[in-house]
Amino acid sequence: MAKVSPSLLAADFTELGAEIQSVESADMLHFDVMDGVFVPNISFGLPVLKAVREATRLPLDVHLMIIKPGRLVERFCDMGADTVTFHVEADEPEEIRRAIMAVKAKGKRVGLSVKPATPVSALEPFAELLDNILIMAVEPGFGGQSFIYEAVPKMTEARALAERLGISCDVEVDGGVNRETGRICVDAGANALVAGSFIFRSADRRGEIEYLRGLK
Ligand code: DX5
Ligand code: ZN
């Protein structure tokens, strides 16, 4: 069984409440925050997260694509994030560690993500602290891109790392996930799938969520 996290970035923002309701059968809701600096795009942030928190009981899977995430992680926790995942490339190692500890001190799940060009070994110094490892299968910044197959061995590596350390950490994949690539990810060791355009462009969102969840 895989956990399924529909990415709100692909929703119709003029109908956000109804869009969230339409994916309520998922395991969590993926919320992409972009700052226009770490990635060449700007999405949505704290006030929208607050509104989303009030609109759903789903756990909120917040993905920060921002530089120096330690400045803001506590505020995302306070606005209703259940998991806060940020990028290992986004600051110096000691600041990344500080940000991880700040999320944990709030009692929330914490994750680190790697862009396609960053090896899983970059996460090793922090791995024992993590609840989530997020492997990007596209360059972060935009929905609707094609899956980068070179990311697949990184899922196996991340799963092996978690097993070696004896930690129960999700291995989550983000970008280009659909029926075919989702199966490849789960076969490679991922247990959580983010899917934006695949779910929100489908006429049967519930059915596609069930399909992805059934992958093992
Ligand atoms: C990309 C975001 C993704 C995006 C995925 O930077 O982090 O979460 O919404 O979109 P799809 O599933 O359309 O590739
Ligand atoms: Zn994301």
Side-chain angles (χ1 to χ4, degrees), residues 16-100:
L16 213 42
E19 292 287 84
I20 292 167
Q21 287 304 314
S22 78
V23 297
E24 204 70 30
S25 64
D27 299 281
M28 49 194 168
L29 188 65
H30 190 77
F31 188 89
D32 285 307
V33 179
M34 303 178 186
D35 66 355
V37 181
F38 185 74
V39 291
N41 197 9
I42 296 175
S43 55
F44 34 60
L46 288 159
V48 179
L49 182 64
K50 183 163 184 273
V52 169
R53 176 71 288 164
E54 286 161 12
T56 182
R57 291 160 72 173
L58 284 176
L60 298 180
D61 174 36
V62 172
H63 177 196
L64 300 180
M65 287 161 275
I66 65 175
I67 58 159
K68 301 194 178 300
R71 295 168 298 149
L72 289 161
V73 287
E74 286 161 312
R75 294 183 63 198
F76 281 96
C77 292
D78 292 342
M79 283 302 169
D82 294 280
T83 303
V84 179
T85 297
F86 44 90
H87 276 262
V88 71
E89 306 93 347
D91 208 342
E92 299 301 322
E94 61 270 28
E95 294 299 328
I96 294 294
R97 181 173 296 272
R98 215 189 303 266
I100 291 170

Side-chain angles (χ1 to χ4, degrees), residues 7 30 32 63 65 134 136 174 194:
S7 177
H30 190 77
D32 285 307
H63 177 196
M65 287 161 275
L134 178 61
M136 292 306 298
D174 188 3
V194 177

